[in-house]
């Protein structure tokens, strides 16, 4: 039995002591490159929430947001960026 490529792009990551299930498959799309490039260059930081919803799912995003809101009073951009960064590493784990 072969493993579906999208299944390889799912996993659990830990950021700031909080574990979450992510799915990198929505980011493994040539159409996402411009958005990821903008974010990497520090442009259009507003994309980060859209990316979080894509990789965590709406329910996962809400749980993650609620966790950090309770812990820190907000979901810091630095944490959100780390979630995206760790998720994209699932696409190319060798860097």
């Amino acid at each position: 039995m072969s493993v579906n490529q999208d299944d390889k792009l799912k996993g659990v990551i830990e950021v700031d002591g909080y574990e979450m299930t992510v799915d990198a498959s929505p980011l493994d799309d040539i159409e996402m490159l411009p958005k990821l490039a903008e974010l990497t260059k520090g442009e259009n930081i507003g994309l980060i929430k859209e990316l979080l919803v894509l990789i965590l799912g709406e329910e996962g995003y809400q749980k993650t947001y609620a966790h950090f809101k309770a812990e820190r009073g907000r979901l810091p951009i630095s944490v959100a960026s780390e979630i995206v960064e760790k998720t994209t590493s699932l696409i190319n784990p060798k860097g």
Side-chain angles (χ1 to χ4, degrees):
M1 178 194 303
S2 66
V3 175
N4 182 330
Q5 181 62 31
D6 284 350
D7 289 341
K8 293 179 183 178
L9 299 176
K10 295 177 183 171
V12 175
I13 62 168
E14 181 270 322
V15 175
D16 212 33
Y18 180 71
E19 286 189 350
M20 63 208 84
T21 302
V22 295
D23 180 2
S25 60
L27 304 182
D28 189 24
D29 180 347
I30 196 76
E31 299 296 325
M32 291 300 296
L33 280 177
K35 290 181 180 187
L36 292 171
E38 285 179 30
L39 194 58
T40 301
K41 290 190 256 179
E43 300 171 0
N44 201 356
I45 196 72
L47 287 172
I48 201 155
K49 181 181 178 196
E50 177 184 342
L51 294 176
L52 289 176
V53 171
L54 282 173
I55 60 181
L56 294 168
E58 185 62 42
E59 183 179 338
Y61 171 78
Q62 293 301 329
K63 287 179 180 179
T64 300
Y65 178 83
H67 169 80
F68 285 100
K69 179 86 170 160
E71 290 279 317
R72 298 182 173 194
R74 60 192 165 80
L75 174 56
I77 292 172
S78 60
V79 170
S81 295
E82 189 174 346
I83 293 168
V84 173
E85 183 180 318
K86 285 187 174 187
T87 302
T88 56
S89 73
L90 295 173
I91 296 170
N92 184 11
K94 295 181 183 178

